[in-house]
Amino acid sequence: MADPEQLSPRMLESLLGEMEGTTKTAATGKAAASDQGRTREVHRDFFQGMVEQLTSTLHKEFVVRLESEIDRVRLAYAEAMQKEKEGFQEQLWQLAQHLKVPESQKTGEGCAESSSLPEHNLTKEQLQSFEEVAELLSKRREFLDQPSVPYCKATAVTLKELVKRTETLQEYCNQRLAALTLDFAPKNLAGKAFPVQVQPAVDTVKTVKQRLRAEHDCQSCVVKLCVSQEQVMDMQDLELLMDYDLEQEVTLILVDSLVANPVVRLAFEDPASLAFDSVSGRSGSVDHPDQVVSITTSGRTGVNIQGRGCLVLPKPVALGEEWTISVWTLGPIDVGDHTYRDLVDSMNSQERIAVILARGRLGNYNSNSFIEGFNARDLTSGWHHIAVVGQTRCTTYYVDGQSLGTKRGRARGAIGVVGNSRGCNESWGYMSDFQIFGVAASDAQIKNIYEAGAPSTPDTNAEPWQVAVARCGRGKDHRVDRQAEFRLIFSQPE
């Protein structure tokens, strides 16, 4: 029943009047038929109005209660979301605090203590860190783990902050990787150790070789490292030291066959970085890379430079009072294919082509000076070594370790491009192991470079250590321990 207070005064007055008339009619028994019909209409209107009033009232109450419930659910959801975010943030923060580098380690204090920690303590801390991270990642988050989460700026800001903190954690882990230190001491064929301190998790084999050269005064040597892992294998320059089993004995070979003061060396070992200079440790760039292709043929790795392709050094190098340029090239060479083949030039095209094959003749393009009695069309099939030495205002040319003669004058100035002149169609073609030295190599050194890299047929009856020395340095002044377990045969120089 509706509350009478909710009925309008007009309806109440009509209802009372009709009821009074009905009472009088019943008492007297004289009511007309028309009055009875009117009374029924009044009753019908009354009850219809009651129903409408009740319906409106109930609808309003339903809407109010529904909005209240929705607000309550939203509030509960927001509170639960915030609580979970704060808990997640606090857990990650605690983990970061636990793994945070102590200030004493940052300043170098307490290094002696930390370096003398027992190995089992380091293992315990390592396992504990793994468990904490695993526990954090394995927790189920009812709201954040949903495939679709309603956007909330506070949530986005918090997650961004978590990303920053995980980056801090990653930086910490990288610092700890760099702190893992090993006293590394490879031995040469005579059993002599060459100790050097390394960080196996971050140092590449190339880095270790450079450190060995610097600390043991052998900058002009070819350095080879090999380790026994089922079979003796050559350790590759671009791989991390930790990729090898360092518990096995590592063998070192030093061959004093290079020239001192190396300035540039393009070894073309990485097809993804053909302009990498192993002396500076930096990569240059490649013009028209579709025309500069990595190749491996006849036991050597190199490039084939065609069209307008060329290699741009990381930084131009100067040809001064003395210099040596060394390269391996693949014969036969079709001199009719194109007239000019430029080996080097300055950054400004055609300015300093210090070494060129012009119609097969070897010489200096800018001084129009060419060696007599040689033409590249006469080279046999296979790799051939070309060297050019500048000193005392003269230039000497070598092919396969033999001097072809000397011409007056020498190139001076910066060299920045290898394999072509920039923007020209004067590409060199096939080349391998390009080098520039800041001194003038002697005849003997040029011969050593050639012999160290020239293909040869080892004596199949020789012991493995003999074969290795023969391939790496032609056995020059190497005292070898015959009992050493060395079975590696090198197919090419470093």
Side-chain angles (χ1 to χ4, degrees), residues 254-398:
L254 296 175
V255 180
D256 190 11
S257 61
L258 291 181
V259 183
N261 192 17
V263 177
V264 171
R265 186 171 193 180
L266 306 180
F268 311 120
E269 294 174 338
D270 183 5
S273 184
L274 294 176
F276 178 77
D277 170 27
S278 60
V279 176
S280 66
R282 299 168 55 193
S283 289
S285 59
V286 180
D287 284 3
H288 302 283
D290 58 312
Q291 297 174 336
V292 180
V293 181
S294 174
I295 56 103
T296 299
T297 182
S298 301
R300 299 195 68 89
T301 298
V303 292
N304 181 16
I305 303 176
Q306 296 295 328
R308 299 181 183 275
C310 67
L311 304 169
V312 180
L313 297 178
K315 183 180 179 180
V317 297
L319 300 182
E321 295 293 329
E322 295 184 353
W323 49 264
T324 299
I325 296 176
S326 167
V327 70
W328 288 83
T329 191
L330 187 64
I333 295 177
D334 183 3
V335 298
D337 184 28
H338 49 272
T339 304
Y340 300 111
R341 296 174 182 266
D342 304 337
L343 181 61
V344 294
D345 194 8
S346 68
M347 295 297 290
N348 298 322
S349 182
Q350 306 282 309
E351 183 179 69
R352 193 166 294 109
I353 306 177
V355 181
I356 188 175
L357 286 174
R359 297 183 180 88
R361 297 181 304 155
L362 180 63
N364 183 324
Y365 171 79
N366 297 103
S367 65
N368 195 28
S369 175
F370 296 90
I371 200 73
E372 293 84 11
F374 169 79
N375 196 293
R377 66 170 175 263
D378 299 326
L379 292 177
T380 59
S381 179
W383 288 101
H384 296 271
H385 183 250
I386 294 178
V388 182
V389 178
Q391 65 175 332
T392 61
R393 299 182 181 179
C394 295
T395 304
T396 304
Y397 298 87
Y398 300 81

Side-chain angles (χ1 to χ4, degrees), residues 75-270:
L75 179 61
Y77 177 81
E79 290 177 350
M81 193 74 141
Q82 183 64 26
K83 182 178 180 181
E84 182 173 351
K85 287 187 296 184
E86 291 175 353
F88 179 61
Q89 183 177 3
E90 181 62 25
Q91 291 168 8
L92 190 57
W93 174 247
Q94 290 176 0
L95 177 60
Q97 286 295 103
H98 175 76
L99 297 177
K100 184 178 180 182
V101 183
E103 292 298 324
S104 61
Q105 292 187 21
K106 292 182 180 179
T107 58
E109 300 175 3
C111 290
E113 295 181 2
S114 63
S115 62
S116 61
L117 281 175
E119 184 176 348
H120 71 272
N121 284 346
L122 291 173
T123 304
K124 181 179 178 181
E125 290 183 356
Q126 168 190 330
L127 293 175
Q128 182 179 358
S129 299
F130 270 115
E131 290 173 357
E132 289 172 343
V133 173
E135 180 183 0
L136 182 65
L137 296 177
S138 64
K139 284 191 174 182
R140 171 69 180 169
R141 298 167 187 85
E142 181 179 356
F143 301 105
L144 283 176
D145 290 349
Q146 295 298 323
S148 177
V149 180
Y151 172 76
C152 172
K153 185 174 182 179
T155 304
V157 171
T158 301
L159 292 176
K160 284 283 188 181
E161 181 63 26
L162 289 177
V163 170
K164 291 182 180 179
R165 293 188 180 184
T166 53
E167 288 174 351
T168 302
L169 182 60
Q170 182 179 1
E171 180 181 353
Y172 165 77
C173 292
N174 289 331
Q175 291 175 352
R176 295 303 86 207
L177 283 174
L180 298 174
T181 304
L182 173 69
D183 291 328
F184 184 59
K187 296 180 180 179
N188 67 3
L189 297 176
K192 177 184 177 181
F194 288 74
V196 65
Q197 195 171 76
V198 297
Q199 289 75 41
V202 296
D203 284 346
T204 63
V205 174
K206 181 188 292 291
T207 302
V208 175
K209 288 180 178 180
Q210 292 172 344
R211 202 168 295 164
L212 284 166
R213 288 192 187 102
E215 295 190 15
H216 294 281
D217 193 24
C218 51
Q219 292 284 11
S220 64
C221 292
V222 172
V223 178
K224 287 287 187 181
L225 293 172
C226 64
V227 64
S228 296
Q229 292 186 183
E230 296 183 356
Q231 61 180 5
V232 178
M233 58 187 300
D234 187 9
M235 298 172 70
Q236 301 300 309
D237 282 354
L238 299 180
E239 294 181 350
L240 290 174
L241 204 60
M242 67 174 290
D243 294 337
Y244 297 92
D245 184 3
L246 299 181
E247 294 183 358
Q248 301 293 330
E249 182 173 308
V250 177
T251 303
L252 167 73
I253 291 183
L254 296 175
V255 180
D256 190 11
S257 61
L258 291 181
V259 183
N261 192 17
V263 177
V264 171
R265 186 171 193 180
L266 306 180
F268 311 120
E269 294 174 338
D270 183 5

